[in-house]
Amino acid sequence: MASPETDRKAGAGGSICRPPTAADRLADRVFRGLTCAFAWLTLLLIGYIVWRIGGTALPAMKRLGIGFLTGTTWDPNQQKYGILPEIWGTLYSSLLALSIGGFFGVAIAIFLSEDFLPDRIRVVLKATVELLAAIPSVVYGLWGIYILIPMIRPLANWLHVHLGWLPFFSTSLTGPGMFPAALVLSIMILPTVAAISQDALGAIPARTREAAFGLGATRWETILRVLLPTASRGIFSALVLGFGRALGETMALAMLIGNSNRLTLSLFSPADTLAALLALNFPEASNLEVGVLMYAAVILLTITLLVNIAGEMIISFSARPGGGRS
Amino acid sequence: MKATPDFTRNLTEPRALKSFILSTLTVACTLLACVPLFSVLYVLVIRGGKRFSLELFTALPPTALDTGGGIGNAIVGTLVMVGIASLIAVPFGILAAIFLAEFGQDTRIATIARFSAKTMTGIPSILAGVFAYAAVVMVTGTYSAVAGGIALSLLMLPTVMLTAEESIRMVPRIMREAAVGMGCTPSQVMWKVTLPAAMPGMITGVMLAVARAAGETAPLLFTALFSDYWIFQGGAGDLMEPTASLAVLIYNFSGMPFENQIELAWAASLVLVLMVLFLNITSRLISQRKR
Amino acid sequence: MTSSTRNNQAALPASDAAPDEVVIDCRVEKIFYGNFLAVRDSHLPILKNRITGFIGPSGCGKSTVLKSINRMNDLVRNFRFYGHIHFEGQDLYDKKVDPVTVRRHIGMVFQQPNPFSMSIYENVAFGLRLNRYRGDYDARVEEALRRAALWDEVKDKLRNNGMSLSGGQQQRLCIARAIATRPPVLLMDEPCSALDPIATRQVEELMVELKKDYTLVIVTHNMQQAQRVADRTAFFSVDITRGGRTGYLVEMGETTELFANPGEELTREYLSGQFS
């Protein structure tokens, strides 16, 4: 080892500063180019997806036209296709899921973000709720078939017998149906709603809370009158994104909703959704039918895109000062 | 009238009562929301657990009236397809994320790509299958593990990309400045300082994406289809054959009228959930240690 | 401190004999951030083997000028520099100049200690590896740590993470990291502002010691610090007459001279604490 003393005499003359080698410069340029190329590729990929799905759907779109959206029969033998029941089923099941999952999600968000609990328990509960989202939807489907449906059937049939004059309870629950599907769906969107709402509530500055408490408001007066209104945009976007998730969920619905092509208000009747229609018919579709299914996929894509973009826009708007989310 | 306020707590007073009721309601909601998770886990262990044996992991699925059998080929198929998906989505997502977070952070292309990725996270997973069907199955003329892997990669990509971007941005500015001040080229800053510091976050993101992909069924239904045989039997062409996966096996067997198959569906669910929960919990631990 | 006394003896003659050679001739005409004129008309010759201190009220552009010297400001969006900075016969703002190479020859120590999240050894060896040094790494690392007066504290834990050190140690580690490749010039941007008084004193002693081999430029918000360590001092101020907050050089000279007989009224007012 060279002695520090001799090295020191060399002084600044011992500088080993070098410009980057040609290889370093080349590597820099190549690497940066590569990352840029992949960013572009993301856009190209999305363009290609839209072009590819749209292109395959185009013949069917031309042939079936707008009547596809309003038709109510699906009969490959007669070449008659309509997806109104599926569009209805998609929206109806998602709205049901949103009203249940949204309520629970927001309640959980309040419970977990306002200090009701010691930190340690709160962390455990939060993780548990998040893990709800980790269970694959096909497993929820299996659970729904063999556990949930038998469990709620007595209740459903009691409602049918006693309140059957209401359109919601006009049929009995014999097996799969709208209600169990929507119930499972609500479990699946609940973590999304809870997580985004928690962010919105957590982003409210402590001074806002202190101001309300300082005026003598109780905890719930603070929550209902101050915090929820302040975070309303964030919570609203949580609901919109949860709704978007529900629209596109496939497996749990394909397994639980009964896949029956009918337009109904009844909660206990089988129904169908766009995603379930695709899942069920694609594997055995003839070439002609594939085009029709692609058309249905385009409709599903359009609906979910609109909802998701709306949700993202609300989030980014509320990210501005004064909004609920930072 | 004396105006001394009474500071003692009074639960019968309307506002206190209201507070109490609302608090109870939220507690009930939260606990009720946790019930499905525990119910699912409980049933999986009870019903799926009884088929846990070596046979489950090594045998092929039984035919209609057979007894016994296992899910070996489905486990291998899931691993292979998630592997293909990761090979595509991880490098793609991380390279694009580096551009979004660092080299091109304020460019228009970065803004558009970021927005697209965010929108992609919300796209129904079945549409990834629809695309892979149109772009791969229709072109190659066969259901295959490759088509399934590509469909899954589309689902992983936005998650990998957005979490990687987030974790690169989280690296403190002063640390990157130090590297710049030493005379690193932008790529050297990235490789020597930023990426190592962002690594735990990126691994978390990748693991969450893998966990999600492993449990996905819809994109595989009509891209990989299903198979009753092992994926590697002949030679290299096997990736272009229909391939079994745990998720599709659960779906197929759930609707069968045979007790043996239904039991296997529960066992497969247990295996799948254990895999997914393992990935989820590990990634959580990694991201917590970072703090 | 034993090392500093030993060094004073060794290097005294060399320091006295050195002629006043200008290493960096910094002529700022205008520095913009977007449309905001941050600094104007400042000529700052930096002398070899001297410590030059930049002082002045906050917002006077002293840090901006310092970071312009090694082109750190290139990282800031919308940064524009008009003027010339000559170093070893080249204009650092010439189009052909590579800012990365500039930063390798002009080291920098930052306001916040910013060691990398790697071992102490690797922190110091970082620059060596970066410059593809082929030689005795252990010796270079030890020497840099000794010169940064940190060796005795860390020699038994070179494998520990650099972030595990205390604030003052971290800053000395950053100095060791910067001097390991022996860049001729070292810029320090308020290097003691995040440190406690004891650590500050250690770093100040270190600066005085380093000037035998290096040319140092330090920015400080602390007049006493400038008085203690700087050979020459540049005083900046803010011009708010035209609605903006534009910094400019008021005057520059030998520290003792500047503090004793300031040439400008503004300098005198600042030094006597009438504004800050």
Side-chain angles (χ1 to χ4, degrees):
Chain A
M1 196 185 282
S3 109
E5 293 296 329
T6 50
D7 261 353
R8 190 169 296 147
K9 286 202 185 93
S15 168
I16 58 152
C17 301
R18 305 271 172 277
T21 61
D24 285 343
R25 283 183 208 276
L26 185 70
D28 182 49
R29 200 167 291 176
V30 169
F31 182 64
R32 283 204 275 173
L34 204 62
T35 63
C36 181
F38 273 93
W40 273 103
L41 215 54
T42 319
L43 299 191
L44 288 181
L45 179 68
I46 288 176
Y48 183 62
I49 292 173
V50 172
W51 179 74
R52 187 75 220 192
I53 295 182
T56 326
L58 205 60
M61 286 169 124
K62 279 188 183 143
R63 196 157 44 86
L64 298 169
I66 204 81
F68 185 58
L69 303 181
T70 53
T72 53
T73 44
W74 182 281
D75 189 347
N77 298 326
Q78 289 182 47
Q79 291 285 311
K80 285 183 80 175
Y81 300 102
I83 53 164
L84 186 61
E86 281 74 24
I87 295 179
W88 165 250
T90 305
L91 295 174
Y92 192 39
S93 62
S94 301
L95 277 174
L96 282 174
L98 185 64
S99 47
I100 305 170
F103 176 76
F104 275 85
V106 174
I108 292 170
I110 293 172
F111 187 59
L112 293 181
S113 58
E114 302 309 311
D115 41 53
F116 284 96
L117 291 171
D119 263 356
R120 198 171 296 170
I121 302 177
R122 192 162 70 170
V123 168
V124 172
L125 270 179
K126 202 174 160 186
T128 312
V129 173
E130 281 169 24
L131 283 183
L132 274 175
I135 305 279
S137 82
V138 70
V139 175
Y140 276 124
L142 189 68
W143 176 79
I145 295 176
Y146 293 99
I147 308 294
L148 188 69
I149 292 182
M151 208 169 73
I152 61 173
R153 195 184 286 159
L155 172 75
N157 289 338
W158 184 88
L159 283 170
H160 170 61
V161 169
H162 292 90
L163 296 169
W165 48 274
L166 278 172
F168 305 111
F169 308 130
S170 57
T171 46
S172 62
L173 183 70
T174 48
M178 177 62 83
F179 185 61
L183 211 54
V184 169
L185 205 48
S186 67
I187 297 171
M188 299 177 68
I189 65 167
L190 182 153
T192 310
V193 177
I196 303 176
S197 305
Q198 267 183 64
D199 285 351
L201 287 169
I204 300 176
R207 56 173 194 275
T208 307
R209 226 158 274 171
E210 282 161 8
F213 283 126
L215 290 169
T218 63
R219 177 191 276 166
W220 276 98
E221 283 163 349
T222 309
I223 291 171
L224 295 177
R225 303 238 178 106
V226 180
L227 300 183
L228 286 184
T230 313
S232 58
R233 272 202 193 167
I235 293 175
F236 184 64
S237 70
L239 294 175
V240 174
L241 291 178
F243 185 61
R245 194 126 301 174
L247 289 173
E249 175 45 47
T250 312
M251 291 324 289
L253 288 166
M255 293 164 85
L256 293 172
I257 203 162
N259 308 302
S260 161
N261 193 36
R262 61 178 99 170
L263 264 169
T264 172
L265 263 180
S266 170
L267 294 176
F268 306 137
S269 156
D272 204 358
T273 71
L274 283 171
L277 176 86
L278 295 176
L280 240 72
N281 290 302
F282 241 112
E284 285 134 34
S286 62
N287 269 349
L288 245 171
E289 211 183 344
V290 164
V292 180
L293 289 170
M294 289 286 177
Y295 190 2
V298 170
I299 303 298
L300 177 60
L301 180 66
T302 314
I303 298 177
T304 46
L305 269 187
L306 288 179
V307 171
N308 279 308
I309 290 177
E312 285 297 338
M313 302 259 259
I314 298 167
I315 288 194
S316 48
F317 271 125
S318 54
R320 306 222 172 113
R325 208 161 179 261
S326 67
Chain B
M1 266 266 153
K2 238 176 85 182
T4 316
D6 181 8
F7 289 122
T8 50
R9 201 181 278 268
N10 184 359
L11 275 180
T12 55
E13 192 205 338
R15 56 200 302 233
L17 196 66
K18 191 174 131 200
S19 259
F20 176 76
I21 292 172
L22 285 170
S23 297
T24 319
L25 198 65
T26 43
V27 176
C29 279
T30 309
L31 293 181
L32 199 58
C34 296
V35 168
L37 180 70
F38 292 110
S39 168
V40 168
L41 294 179
Y42 174 77
V43 179
L44 286 182
V45 172
I46 297 298
R47 295 220 183 164
K50 69 178 169 200
R51 285 300 287 265
F52 252 59
S53 65
L54 194 61
E55 191 191 10
L56 183 72
F57 297 95
T58 54
L60 289 171
T63 51
L65 291 167
D66 239 351
T67 52
I71 54 171
N73 65 337
I75 295 177
V76 175
T78 291
L79 294 179
V80 167
M81 284 189 282
V82 170
I84 293 174
S86 309
L87 281 180
I88 300 170
V90 172
F92 190 148
I94 289 180
L95 283 171
I98 290 172
F99 186 80
L100 299 198
E102 186 82 34
F103 297 147
Q105 46 176 317
D106 297 310
T107 56
R108 184 176 302 167
I109 154 100
T111 316
I112 301 174
R114 190 177 303 122
F115 187 79
S116 312
K118 274 189 186 153
T119 331
M120 259 174 98
T121 51
I123 283 183
S125 61
I126 191 158
L127 290 179
V130 171
F131 167 72
Y133 183 87
V136 187
V137 176
M138 281 169 76
V139 173
T140 59
T142 172
Y143 299 106
S144 62
V146 170
I150 287 176
L152 292 182
S153 74
L154 288 183
L155 298 172
M156 290 179 64
L157 180 63
T159 314
V160 172
M161 201 161 131
L162 293 172
T163 48
E165 190 201 352
E166 179 78 13
S167 23
I168 291 171
R169 279 180 190 276
M170 298 275 275
V171 176
R173 190 180 46 85
I174 58 167
M175 218 183 230
R176 276 179 282 177
E177 273 184 353
V180 174
M182 295 295 295
C184 288
T185 63
S187 301
Q188 284 171 328
V189 178
M190 186 49 71
W191 281 102
K192 287 170 184 273
V193 175
T194 314
L195 283 182
M199 196 52 85
M202 292 198 301
I203 292 176
T204 304
V206 168
M207 287 177 83
L208 288 177
V210 166
R212 180 175 171 212
E216 278 292 351
T217 318
L220 297 179
L221 278 177
F222 41 87
T223 52
L225 212 68
F226 193 72
S227 150
D228 285 325
Y229 306 103
W230 294 101
I231 180 170
F232 297 114
Q233 248 172 352
D238 285 346
L239 287 179
M240 295 311 293
E241 293 286 319
T243 305
S245 58
L246 282 171
V248 175
L249 179 139
I250 298 167
Y251 174 65
N252 286 349
F253 282 12
S254 72
M256 286 192 181
F258 310 112
E259 192 51 39
N260 186 30
Q261 268 79 353
I262 293 171
E263 273 182 9
L264 276 179
W266 283 109
S269 298
L270 180 58
V271 174
L272 188 57
V273 166
L274 285 179
M275 271 166 60
V276 169
L277 286 188
F278 171 77
L279 286 167
N280 259 287
I281 292 169
T282 323
S283 67
R284 245 163 243 279
L285 292 179
I286 291 176
S287 66
Q288 261 167 22
R289 184 173 303 171
K290 195 180 63 173
R291 277 169 213 143
Chain C
M1 280 232 146
T2 52
S3 68
S4 82
T5 41
R6 188 179 51 193
N7 240 313
N8 281 345
Q9 297 162 347
L12 254 170
S15 172
D16 277 2
D20 284 348
E21 180 193 337
V22 175
V23 215
I24 294 182
D25 190 37
C26 174
R27 287 171 192 273
V28 177
E29 283 161 22
K30 285 183 170 64
I31 297 178
F32 283 101
Y33 292 121
N35 291 323
F36 169 63
L37 177 60
V39 184
R40 65 168 169 84
D41 313 311
S42 306
H43 176 209
L44 300 138
I46 310 289
L47 301 188
K48 189 170 182 164
N49 290 7
R50 298 293 189 89
I51 300 180
T52 305
F54 290 1
I55 61 169
S58 61
C60 67
K62 51 193 193 297
S63 279
T64 299
V65 172
L66 185 83
K67 288 189 168 184
S68 297
I69 296 176
N70 73 340
R71 298 199 53 175
M72 277 303 283
N73 278 333
D74 287 25
L75 296 190
V76 181
R77 253 198 319 157
N78 300 328
F79 165 81
R80 280 175 298 144
F81 180 93
Y82 298 99
H84 304 278
I85 297 181
H86 283 281
F87 172 59
E88 291 181 350
Q90 288 180 71
D91 183 359
L92 297 182
Y93 278 84
D94 190 296
K95 279 202 185 79
K96 279 175 277 177
V97 166
D98 173 24
V100 171
T101 312
V102 172
R103 293 181 202 126
R104 292 197 179 181
H105 287 88
I106 304 178
M108 181 143 201
V109 175
F110 295 80
Q111 197 168 352
Q112 293 282 330
N114 52 2
F116 297 127
S117 178
M118 43 180 91
S119 71
I120 293 170
Y121 184 94
E122 282 304 321
N123 260 288
V124 182
F126 187 89
L128 304 177
R129 296 195 197 286
L130 193 65
N131 288 287
R132 313 223 173 238
Y133 174 62
R134 291 172 201 288
D136 191 344
Y137 274 64
D138 290 349
R140 285 269 178 170
V141 169
E142 182 183 341
E143 190 232 341
L145 283 169
R146 276 191 194 280
R147 298 224 57 182
L150 192 61
W151 176 253
D152 292 333
E153 289 157 70
V154 301
K155 64 182 174 202
D156 299 322
K157 48 178 183 180
L158 290 173
R159 299 283 152 212
N160 290 13
N161 194 300
M163 312 266 258
S164 64
L165 299 173
S166 73
Q169 288 175 324
Q170 285 189 12
Q171 193 62 304
R172 278 178 283 149
L173 178 61
C174 292
I175 294 173
R177 182 178 65 189
I179 61 178
T181 54
R182 294 196 199 133
V185 180
L186 205 54
L187 309 178
M188 296 183 161
D189 186 9
E190 302 197 22
C192 301
S193 69
L195 305 184
D196 62 59
I198 294 168
T200 300
R201 222 188 84 194
Q202 287 173 325
V203 173
E204 283 179 5
E205 282 170 3
L206 184 54
M207 290 191 263
V208 174
E209 212 238 272
L210 286 174
K211 74 172 170 182
K212 279 84 189 192
D213 296 330
Y214 299 88
T215 304
L216 282 88
V217 185
I218 69 163
V219 164
T220 174
H221 57 268
N222 179 335
M223 278 183 278
Q224 285 75 34
Q225 186 171 54
Q227 229 169 341
R228 284 194 297 266
V229 298
D231 301 306
R232 290 168 59 76
T233 298
F235 170 63
F236 288 77
S237 187
V238 196
D239 179 3
I240 51 171
T241 50
R242 271 164 286 175
R245 290 185 54 86
T246 301
Y248 66 103
L249 176 68
V250 178
E251 63 175 310
M252 183 174 185
E254 293 293 316
T255 303
T256 43
E257 185 65 19
L258 187 93
F259 277 78
N261 306 306
E264 300 280 332
E265 180 61 14
L266 201 59
T267 317
R268 197 188 56 74
E269 284 173 11
Y270 180 76
L271 293 177
S272 62
Q274 291 183 29
F275 69 98
S276 64

